[in-house]
């Protein structure tokens, strides 16, 4: 038996070059959380938050890294990229605000709901960002 | 979980233990054990994909033989609309129906007729503001089953109305008893002519408080050869179709959706495509849709594993067959309610037991950590020699105690080589999960 502070970790390289694979990590996480027997609403919240984050990294930052740490009472998602950074976090958190380009919008993304949804579906969300350096978002979902 | 009766089975004599079905099974239900395929009944959705890809015809669908009909006094045929698309140079559905009577059926009740009623009920059901949208069609049993197994969150979106085949069975039985009050219920055989094994399973599985109205299910393939000779001799049919364009349209993908008279629908077919669509709906990454039609087979029911014709050729034939028919002779009036008996009594319950590693969360986490460790070690060739469809599936099998690590031939070969180079250091014994 493992002790309570034991965790299962997942690491994903989110490929910024390949738009068609965007969303892959959240689908793998969904399958794993299901195998671990987490309740459906937890699985849904984690996968939506992670999906939005993955898409953001692909659209804005040419990809990045996603790390998920599962412990029995909490799931922590850390998304880190070396993209342009977010100039005004408060503005970016507003529903409908987006800096996505037209070609991305044509695919149905860039509705300005990414960050707001990530906040909405998680229990905590912290954004660390620096212009020209990158962005790190840490989210947790209590199980 | 209740024991589910499957209609896809294996002929061990014919199976060579190759990897064709292993690789193509959409739910990873197949493993090769002791030189032949083994189907996990909990995961199998009866889609028939393995029947299509097996080069040795070792996978087969089980259904009733035509001689089962001899046991009954009064026989009613329930032809699936896909049956009409099987014949070359056919210009009138009535000839198929007459052929069924000439084969010895006493009456025909077209599933296409019931399909039009279901379309009418669907339009009514979609007007209810309190239902979870998008509504997912309940017509394809393989889809309903895969949602139970892999997309539990979407169970509530499945339309709670019985599929056309079941409503056809119910109506056919009622009509037979009305026309022939002298018959006892056990004298009547309601016989569905099915394009696919999934519908056989649907009928053959009795649920709690529920038994299908259908007594026998035969395959389009078996009926085809009986029909074709009678149809070529048929000059003037005495029976006319009671279905229209909509009912016959149900045979191929898009037909059911177009009948909701609303363009906010999505229609997809082919099990891989369908799984992708379900993944995206579950991520709520979908435009605002009212209705989703999903068919496990390419092209829809015309692509069923028990049909004869190529699905796209069958579809083209159906387009010309339905051209001069009424749009939809069967419907309910605006002020009529959906009959209570047409609602599915089945409470669609998610079944997560299939995916769960262990009931104990900590134990499941420990197993997952082991699976990850193994996945890193495996060659990632997905060669199938071990009997699992992929290295990832193999790692899970090993940790669950269902396979042994030594069965990974490439890994053993590599370990052997490095052992020889290092002067004999057998690492293989010290790694892996339960053996």
């Amino acid at each position: 038996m493992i002790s309570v502070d034991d965790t299962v970790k997942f690491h994903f390289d989110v490929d910024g070059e390949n738009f068609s694979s965007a969303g892959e990590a959240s689908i793998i996480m969904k399958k794993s959380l299901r195998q671990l027997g987490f309740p459906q609403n937890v699985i849904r919240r984690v996968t939506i938050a992670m999906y939005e984050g993955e898409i953001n990294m692909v659209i804005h930052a040419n990809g990045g890294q996603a790390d998920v740490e599962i412990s029995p009472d909490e799931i922590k998602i850390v998304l880190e990229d070396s993209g342009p950074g977010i100039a005004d976090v408060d503005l970016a958190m507003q529903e409908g605000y987006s800096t996505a380009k037209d070609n991305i919008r044509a695919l149905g993304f860039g509705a300005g709901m990414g960050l707001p949804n990530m906040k909405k579906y998680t229990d905590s969300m912290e954004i660390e960002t620096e212009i020209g350096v990158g962005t790190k978002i840490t989210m947790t979902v209590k199980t | 979980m209740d024991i589910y009766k499957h209609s896809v089975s294996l002929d061990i004599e014919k199976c060579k233990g190759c990897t064709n079905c292993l690789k193509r099974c959409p739910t990873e239900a197949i493993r090769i054990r002791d030189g032949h395929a083994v189907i996990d009944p909990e995961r199998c959705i009866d889609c028939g994909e393995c029947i299509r890809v097996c080069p040795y015809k070792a996978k087969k669908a089980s259904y009733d033989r035509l001689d089962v009909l001899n046991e009954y006094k009064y026989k009613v045929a329930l032809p699936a609309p896909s049956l009409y698309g099987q014949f070359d140079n056919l210009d009138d559905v009535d000839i198929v129906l007459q052929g069924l009577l000439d084969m010895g059926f006493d009456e025909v009740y077209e599933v296409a007729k019931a399909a039009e009623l279901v379309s009418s009920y669907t339009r009514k059901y979609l007007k209810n503001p309190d239902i979870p949208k998008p509504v997912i069609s309940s017509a394809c049993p393989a889809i309903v089953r895969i949602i139970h197994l892999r997309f539990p969150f979407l169970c509530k979106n499945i339309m709670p109305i019985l599929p056309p085949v079941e409503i056809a069975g119910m109506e056919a039985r009622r009509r037979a008893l009305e026309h022939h009050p002298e018959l006892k219920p056990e004298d009547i055989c309601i016989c569905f002519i099915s394009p696919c094994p999934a519908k056989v399973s649907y009928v053959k599985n009795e649920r709690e408080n529920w038994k299908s109205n259908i007594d026998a299910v035969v395959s389009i393939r078996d009926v085809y050869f009986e029909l074709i000779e009678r149809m070529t001799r048929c000059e003037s049919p005495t029976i006319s179709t009671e279905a229209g364009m909509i009912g016959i349209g149900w045979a191929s993908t898009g037909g059911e959706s177009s009948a909701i008279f609303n363009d906010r629908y999505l229609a997809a077919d082919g099990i891989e495509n369908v799984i992708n669509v379900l993944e995206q709906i579950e991520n709520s990454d979908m435009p605002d849709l009212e209705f989703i039609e999903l068919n496990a087979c390419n092209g829809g029911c015309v692509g069923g594993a028990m049909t004869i014709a190529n699905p796209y050729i069958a579809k083209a034939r159906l387009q010309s067959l339905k051209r001069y028919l009424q749009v939809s002779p069967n419907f309910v009036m605006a002020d009529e309610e959906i009959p209570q008996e047409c609602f599915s009594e089945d409470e669609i319950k998610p079944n997560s037991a299939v995916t769960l590693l262990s009931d104990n969360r900590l134990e499941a986490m420990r197993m997952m950590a082991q699976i990850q460790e193994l996945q890193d070690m495996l060659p990632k060739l997905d060669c199938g020699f071990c009997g699992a469809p992929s290295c990832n599936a193999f790692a899970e099998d090993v940790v669950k105690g269902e396979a042994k690590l030594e069965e990974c031939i490439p890994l053993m070969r590599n370990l052997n080589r490095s052992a020889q180079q290092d002067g004999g250091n057998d690492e293989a014994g010290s790694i892996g999960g339960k053996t």
Side-chain angles (χ1 to χ4, degrees):
Chain A
M1 186 60 65
I2 56 172
S3 62
V4 184
D5 55 49
D6 270 301
T7 56
V8 183
K9 295 189 178 76
F10 287 82
H11 174 82
F12 303 94
D13 289 315
V14 178
D15 184 358
E17 302 295 325
N18 185 358
F19 200 76
S20 53
S21 71
E24 201 177 14
S26 76
I27 283 175
I28 296 172
M29 277 320 304
K30 178 159 72 180
K31 181 179 174 231
S32 302
L33 291 171
R34 215 172 264 166
Q35 286 181 308
L36 293 172
F38 282 100
Q40 193 48 239
N41 68 328
V42 170
I43 298 176
R44 186 173 163 81
R45 288 165 63 208
V46 171
T47 46
I48 292 177
M50 189 152 165
Y51 181 86
E52 296 284 13
E54 252 188 285
I55 296 287
N56 275 352
M57 289 201 292
V58 175
I59 294 176
H60 299 288
N62 199 28
Q65 316 277 319
D67 285 279
V68 183
E69 206 175 292
I70 304 171
S71 48
D73 54 354
E74 185 184 88
I75 295 160
K76 186 165 126 186
I77 307 155
V78 181
L79 305 165
E80 198 165 5
D81 67 57
S82 320
I86 303 169
D88 183 339
V89 174
D90 289 337
L91 188 59
M93 287 301 298
Q94 283 180 18
E95 292 189 3
Y97 177 81
S98 173
T99 57
K101 295 186 187 76
D102 284 347
N103 58 344
I104 298 295
R105 287 170 193 264
L107 290 164
F109 295 106
M113 291 305 293
L115 286 171
N117 270 345
M118 287 156 74
K119 185 159 181 68
K120 180 175 152 196
Y121 287 108
T122 54
D123 290 303
S124 77
M125 176 164 120
E126 198 181 308
I127 304 179
E128 298 159 64
T129 183
E130 198 178 326
I131 295 296
V133 178
T135 300
K136 179 178 175 184
I137 298 182
T138 307
M139 296 177 280
T140 58
V141 173
K142 301 261 184 249
T143 59
Chain B
M1 188 197 165
D2 301 330
I3 298 194
Y4 191 85
K5 284 183 228 161
H6 287 281
S7 50
V8 173
S9 63
L10 178 85
D11 182 341
I12 288 187
E13 298 291 308
K14 287 185 181 166
C15 177
K16 309 268 185 245
C18 73
T19 58
N20 284 298
C21 61
L22 182 70
K23 291 288 193 178
R24 290 286 290 276
C25 175
T27 58
E28 299 193 333
I30 301 175
R31 295 291 183 275
I32 311 293
R33 299 278 182 252
D34 301 323
H36 61 78
V38 178
I39 308 172
D40 178 352
E42 293 220 330
R43 286 173 182 256
C44 174
I45 57 168
D46 292 302
C47 66
E49 201 64 21
C50 55
I51 298 178
R52 280 186 210 107
V53 300
C54 179
Y56 309 105
K57 308 272 174 271
K59 290 287 191 343
K60 51 182 196 222
S62 324
Y63 42 82
D64 296 307
R65 303 289 146 193
L66 285 171
D67 44 20
V68 72
L69 294 166
N70 302 335
E71 297 165 21
Y72 296 87
K73 255 194 213 158
Y74 194 83
K75 302 171 271 283
V76 185
L78 258 54
S82 44
L83 175 69
Y84 312 154
Q86 304 302 309
F87 308 97
D88 208 7
N89 297 320
L90 176 72
D91 57 7
D92 192 344
V93 171
D94 298 350
I95 296 172
V96 183
L97 308 182
Q98 183 65 47
L100 289 168
L101 294 179
D102 294 347
M103 260 178 76
F105 284 103
D106 299 286
E107 202 176 323
V108 178
Y109 192 102
E110 294 169 86
V111 177
K113 178 178 161 79
E116 291 185 348
L117 289 173
V118 173
S119 287
S120 175
Y121 300 154
T122 307
R123 292 192 290 272
K124 223 169 243 293
Y125 179 71
L126 287 172
K127 290 204 179 101
N128 183 343
D130 304 324
I131 51 169
K133 298 266 177 82
V135 170
I136 301 174
S137 162
S138 59
C140 175
I143 299 300
V144 172
R145 195 160 155 80
I146 202 167
I147 292 175
H148 285 206
L149 298 179
R150 280 185 55 180
F151 302 95
F153 197 75
L154 296 174
C155 283
K156 63 179 180 358
N157 294 59
I158 299 174
M159 190 164 69
I161 293 171
L162 293 170
V165 57
E166 193 52 41
I167 290 179
M170 198 155 72
E171 295 292 341
R173 184 174 298 279
R174 184 177 299 144
R175 188 161 80 176
L177 285 167
E178 259 170 39
H179 292 178
H180 300 276
E182 75 282 6
L183 290 171
K184 289 198 279 292
E186 63 269 26
D187 295 335
I188 302 173
C189 178
I190 306 290
C191 175
F192 175 47
I193 303 166
S194 177
C196 72
K199 290 194 171 78
V200 182
S201 304
Y202 171 81
V203 168
K204 300 285 174 184
N205 278 283
E206 291 171 21
R207 272 68 113 202
E208 214 179 319
N209 319 320
W210 186 86
K211 190 185 174 299
S212 174
N213 277 291
I214 292 154
D215 304 297
V217 188
V218 298
S219 81
I220 283 187
R221 228 168 252 200
D222 286 358
V223 169
Y224 177 87
F225 293 104
E226 294 283 321
L227 263 182
I228 194 94
E229 54 176 306
R230 290 175 172 90
M231 282 168 59
T232 44
R233 282 193 306 234
C234 172
E235 277 164 17
S236 54
T238 58
I239 177 172
S240 349
T241 178
E242 297 171 75
M245 297 171 83
I246 284 183
I248 292 172
W250 270 67
S252 59
T253 303
E256 182 189 357
S257 305
S258 63
I260 67 165
F261 303 154
N262 174 332
D263 60 6
R264 279 156 57 212
Y265 70 81
L266 176 158
D269 59 22
I271 191 72
E272 301 289 331
N273 291 328
V274 163
I275 290 172
N276 268 324
V277 168
L278 289 169
E279 293 281 5
Q280 293 207 30
I281 306 173
E282 214 181 39
N283 274 355
S284 67
D285 184 28
M286 268 286 150
D288 186 21
L289 293 174
E290 289 272 307
F291 187 74
I292 301 202
E293 172 190 345
L294 301 170
N295 296 307
C297 298
N298 288 331
C301 296
V302 284
M306 281 153 47
T307 60
I308 298 254
N310 171 287
Y312 302 96
I313 292 171
K315 185 183 179 186
R317 288 172 181 159
L318 288 168
Q319 279 160 15
S320 49
L321 262 182
K322 68 185 184 186
R323 186 170 300 144
Y324 300 110
L325 294 179
Q326 187 183 334
V327 172
S328 177
N330 306 283
F331 55 88
V332 284
M333 304 303 280
D335 55 346
E336 277 178 77
E337 293 293 320
I338 305 171
Q340 199 51 44
E341 59 185 2
C342 294
F343 280 96
S344 161
E345 303 253 316
D346 256 5
E347 197 192 331
I348 296 178
K349 282 195 218 100
N351 172 9
S352 57
V354 173
T355 44
L356 211 56
L357 286 174
S358 161
D359 291 337
N360 178 317
R361 178 82 46 81
L362 289 176
E363 173 64 10
M365 287 176 60
R366 190 188 61 77
M367 289 169 79
M368 185 156 289
Q370 276 187 2
I371 291 170
Q372 287 185 334
E373 208 176 300
L374 276 183
Q375 283 170 345
D376 289 341
M377 226 166 70
L378 292 172
K380 298 177 183 65
L381 295 172
D382 295 339
C383 64
F385 282 167
C386 59
S390 66
C391 292
N392 286 351
F394 178 65
E396 283 177 25
D397 289 356
V398 171
V399 172
K400 285 193 236 161
E402 290 162 11
K404 290 196 173 93
L405 190 61
E406 297 87 83
E407 288 163 277
C408 177
I409 293 168
L411 177 71
M412 288 304 121
R413 190 187 57 200
N414 291 345
L415 287 177
N416 246 333
R417 274 191 201 143
S418 53
Q420 279 166 5
Q421 281 160 9
D422 302 348
N425 173 16
D426 187 12
E427 206 185 320
S430 64
I431 33 183
K434 297 175 211 164
T435 45

